[in-house]
Amino acid sequence: MDFTAPSREQNFVLKHIANINRLAEHDRFASASEDMVEAIVEGIGQFAAGEFAPINRLGDTVGAQWNNGSVSMPEGFARAYGEFVAGGWASIDGAEDFGGQGLPYSLSALILETCGAANFAFTLCPMLSFGAVEAIHAHGSEEQKSAYLPKLISGEWTGTMNLTEAQAGSDVGALRATAEPIADGPHAGKYRIKGQKIFITFGEHDLTENIVHLVLARTPGAPEGTRGISLFIVPKFHLDAEGNAGEPNDVTCVSIEHKLGIHASPTCVMAYGEKDACIGEMIGGEFGGMKAMFTMMNNARINVGSQGVQIAERATQQAIGFAAERVQSARAGSGSKEPVAIIEHPDVRRMLLRSKSLTQAARALLYYATSHVDLATLGIDGAKARAEILTPLIKAYGTDIGNEVASIGVQVHGGMGFVEETGAAQHLRDARIAPIYEGTNGIQAADLVGRKLGLDGGEAMMALLADIKTTAAGEERLIALVQSTQDVAEWMTNGDASIDDRLAGSYPFLTMLATATCGMLMKIQHDVAGTELGDRDDPFLKAKLVTTRYYLEHIVPEATGLKASAMAGSEILYALDGAQLAS
């Protein structure tokens, strides 16, 4: 089916949730005027619908192809990526000193959201590059920035993040890749990199002339665990005297994974130094690898949360389109025996309204998070701590919503949803990776109760809950949820709960907090929509009143019921030993 960008919705959320106009009041983001923002929203919507969406299905059915170390993308992908670069979409929030446009991160997130809804798998390519840009800009030397940032920011080159090794999984501290210092010769001062990494997104492809890999490795005598990890820039091709791609580095794509979904995103096994000739340069100082890598990962986690919004939007559009056209059965209680489009049946209405409401809530949470990253960039008090709390919420809750809505989309299609030709199944298959990578959602929940709950002595969490309470005035269901959420937070921090107890309740707590935060954001939108609507006949605002009301009356009470699970403790989880549980 065709894709249409939700431009009116995006503008509404950018204005009333991200408060993008207030960001433009600061010199740093002065160019983000209302006219500029609206032009970007409309422009990227037209681009995504015209260039990325038409090749989405081809990407799934053909996918990336590996051949003797090289990866080729399906027909049309190189041209579409070239148009993405030519349009300047890759450089929206890049540093102006290196050719970027210097606009807020929230608008970069908009680019990813719109393109990802059009073509989920393909958009992983620029998403990873954005992370590489952040890491090099924050931790690179001036020479490294000058060498790599202009072409990464423009999109002329792409970047990757190399953490995972087969024996380590999510335990980054267990990695074994090595970096031996080079004392003599043309590469003196650099390092000889050796090791293998897995699950490297767009680690190899034919879209650009160079790929810049950021690789975690250990120097000789490095301490065990994460304290001994350093980060290295390892280009696919060495840079020549003019800074262009020159001779090949000793970097090989050994294979690509055969996956459930995201077939147009090559997930690579990368080998570094098979010929003992892989050269890399350290970035961020020795043992500064995790600090530099987390610069990439924090915003990458927000961007993965965006993927939940992306797939939910696409799945909802497809489900609504199918439901409006599929005629089946008379509507019960209508008094007529004439069959109607299934969109008229109550349970289908429930599924569609739930999908729209969840998608809009996740989008609001996304831009609420990105706006606080922008506010932190401006040095606004409290913004950094708020963004840190919101990051695991949007990553986990956003991707959970993506999976739920994609599953609902299949259900709306009925038996045809289980048949590949409709495309509904692709959304569900693509969505399933998002709760796993960039730190599983369970890791996000552990981070929330392990680090974020006590941020600033607990004041950051209490400030968020206080803001929700203030906004919730008059909404009894939301007031009940935020109070229950605060009860759990206090139980987890007052000494009554052990570490195991907190971790056992971390996921339901995260869902409660994320739902309460979304409830606040949906309440804000409901109030704005009511004020703007007045006596006018505006279908968008009328629909906004319904979707926000549905969230507050149906979704919010569901989360309140998670309090018992969040405070149940860990005893039941360990009532059986490992052998008994496995039997």
Side-chain angles (χ1 to χ4, degrees):
M1 65 161 287
D2 294 335
F3 165 75
T4 302
S7 301
R8 176 86 185 270
E9 163 76 8
Q10 290 169 321
N11 269 315
F12 186 86
V13 174
L14 283 168
K15 183 175 182 179
H16 299 296
I17 298 300
N19 291 312
I20 197 80
N21 295 341
R22 290 180 59 189
L23 291 176
E25 294 172 1
H26 298 265
D27 290 343
R28 172 72 172 77
F29 296 132
S31 55
S33 65
E34 186 170 354
D35 288 345
M36 172 66 79
V37 171
E38 290 181 357
I40 289 172
V41 172
E42 293 297 327
I44 193 60
Q46 293 172 9
F47 170 84
E51 300 291 342
F52 272 32
I55 56 176
N56 182 50
R57 191 70 181 141
L58 182 68
D60 183 59
T61 55
V62 175
Q65 302 292 317
W66 180 90
N67 182 33
N68 195 29
S70 296
V71 172
S72 57
M73 297 297 291
E75 183 179 354
F77 275 66
R79 188 192 66 78
Y81 183 77
E83 292 297 322
F84 178 80
V85 173
W89 301 118
S91 62
I92 287 290
D93 70 334
E96 293 178 279
D97 291 347
F98 300 101
Q101 300 177 52
L103 289 162
Y105 168 58
S106 293
L107 294 179
S108 175
L110 167 81
I111 303 303
L112 291 179
E113 188 217 326
T114 306
C115 289
N119 196 318
F120 186 89
F122 195 14
T123 304
L124 279 161
C125 183
M127 189 179 96
L128 268 293
S129 295
F130 291 172
V133 167
E134 291 174 53
I136 295 174
H137 189 263
H139 302 284
S141 66
E142 291 305 315
E143 183 179 359
Q144 289 169 337
K145 292 178 187 178
S146 297
Y148 292 102
L149 285 183
K151 292 182 179 178
L152 280 171
I153 287 174
S154 71
E156 185 178 345
W157 294 350
T158 63
T160 72
M161 175 168 38
N162 290 244
L163 290 80
T164 310
E165 297 180 8
Q167 81 289 343
S170 294
D171 184 6
V172 180
L175 67 82
R176 298 172 184 167
T178 60
E180 294 282 343
I182 301 171
D184 304 306
H187 298 300
K190 296 183 180 180
Y191 291 78
R192 206 174 303 279
I193 310 297
K194 192 173 185 64
Q196 190 174 98
K197 301 288 184 177
I198 64 171
F199 301 153
I200 308 307
T201 300
F202 276 91
E204 166 62 16
H205 57 76
D206 58 358
L207 302 175
T208 60
E209 66 176 14
N210 207 357
I211 304 170
V212 180
H213 302 287
L214 294 186
V215 182
L216 289 178
R218 295 185 183 281
T219 52
E224 292 295 319
T226 56
R227 293 186 303 113
I229 294 174
S230 301
L231 184 64
F232 299 86
I233 300 175
V234 184
K236 177 182 177 180
F237 292 97
H238 295 295
L239 276 56
D240 63 19
E242 286 73 41
N244 298 314
E247 295 299 313
N249 204 349
D250 184 10
V251 177
T252 305
C253 176
V254 177
S255 64
I256 61 175
E257 305 293 351
H258 300 278
K259 310 185 298 292
L260 176 68
I262 57 169
H263 296 155
S265 172
T267 303
C268 303
V269 177
M270 301 298 298
Y272 297 92
E274 286 196 320
K275 300 175 183 176
D276 295 324
C278 179
I279 308 301
E281 51 186 298
M282 185 179 288
I283 175 175
E286 191 170 22
F287 311 143
M290 290 307 294
K291 180 180 179 182
M293 190 57 73
F294 268 107
T295 299
M296 288 184 73
M297 289 188 69
N298 284 335
N299 283 7
R301 286 173 170 174
I302 295 176
N303 292 339
V304 170
S306 168
Q307 290 193 296
V309 182
Q310 295 163 24
I311 207 68
E313 177 63 40
R314 189 64 183 271
T316 298
Q317 286 194 23
Q318 179 154 342
I320 290 173
F322 179 86
E325 295 179 357
R326 172 64 168 162
V327 175
Q328 182 176 305
S329 304
R331 176 181 171 186
S334 68
S336 171
K337 294 183 179 180
E338 287 296 315
V340 296
I342 65 171
I343 197 171
E344 300 300 335
H345 295 303
D347 192 57
V348 176
R349 284 285 179 107
R350 176 191 63 81
M351 289 189 285
L352 296 177
L353 190 52
R354 184 178 184 89
S355 295
K356 287 178 70 72
S357 180
L358 286 171
T359 302
Q360 291 179 17
R363 179 177 290 112
L365 183 59
L366 168 66
Y367 291 111
Y368 188 58
T370 63
S371 68
H372 280 83
V373 173
D374 289 324
L375 291 171
T377 298
L378 296 173
I380 303 301
D381 187 47
K384 184 175 184 296
R386 180 64 58 91
E388 288 190 29
I389 292 174
L390 295 172
T391 297
L393 301 189
I394 181 56
K395 197 284 179 183
Y397 189 60
T399 57
D400 282 347
I401 283 176
N403 275 265
E404 179 179 349
V405 173
S407 181
I408 290 173
V410 172
Q411 190 72 18
V412 169
H413 282 74
M416 292 305 296
F418 203 66
V419 176
E420 286 289 353
E421 68 188 61
T422 64
Q426 179 190 347
H427 305 319
L428 184 56
R429 288 186 287 102
D430 284 351
R432 193 58 192 86
I433 185 59
I436 298 172
Y437 54 23
E438 297 305 337
T440 67
N441 286 1
I443 289 175
Q444 304 307 311
D447 175 54
L448 179 65
V449 302
R451 293 184 59 249
K452 308 302 172 59
L453 193 55
L455 199 62
D456 295 340
E459 291 183 8
M461 180 65 70
M462 290 302 112
L464 173 58
L465 293 172
D467 285 348
I468 299 171
K469 280 186 177 181
T470 299
T471 305
E475 292 289 342
E476 294 183 4
R477 297 175 184 86
L478 183 54
I479 291 170
L481 173 58
V482 71
Q483 185 57 57
S484 293
T485 306
Q486 184 168 328
D487 291 344
V488 176
E490 291 174 350
W491 173 76
M492 286 186 170
T493 55
N494 67 10
D496 291 340
S498 67
I499 293 175
D500 280 346
D501 290 337
R502 293 199 297 273
L503 291 175
S506 62
Y507 210 105
F509 174 67
L510 182 148
T511 303
M512 293 173 72
L513 181 61
T515 307
T517 304
C518 285
M520 171 181 69
L521 303 176
M522 294 295 263
K523 172 68 161 52
I524 291 170
Q525 293 182 80
H526 184 275
D527 292 347
V528 171
T531 300
E532 290 189 355
L533 180 61
D535 297 326
R536 293 189 296 151
D537 183 17
D538 187 322
F540 170 80
L541 294 175
K542 285 183 176 180
K544 178 62 74 174
L545 288 174
V546 174
T547 54
T548 52
R549 178 52 51 199
Y550 184 92
Y551 192 89
L552 291 165
E553 294 182 359
H554 291 262
I555 310 297
V556 164
E558 292 175 6
T560 307
L562 294 173
K563 179 179 179 180
S565 178
M567 297 180 67
S570 61
E571 183 178 356
I572 190 66
L573 302 184
Y574 294 94
L576 302 175
D577 63 28
Q580 291 171 324
L581 184 61
S583 64

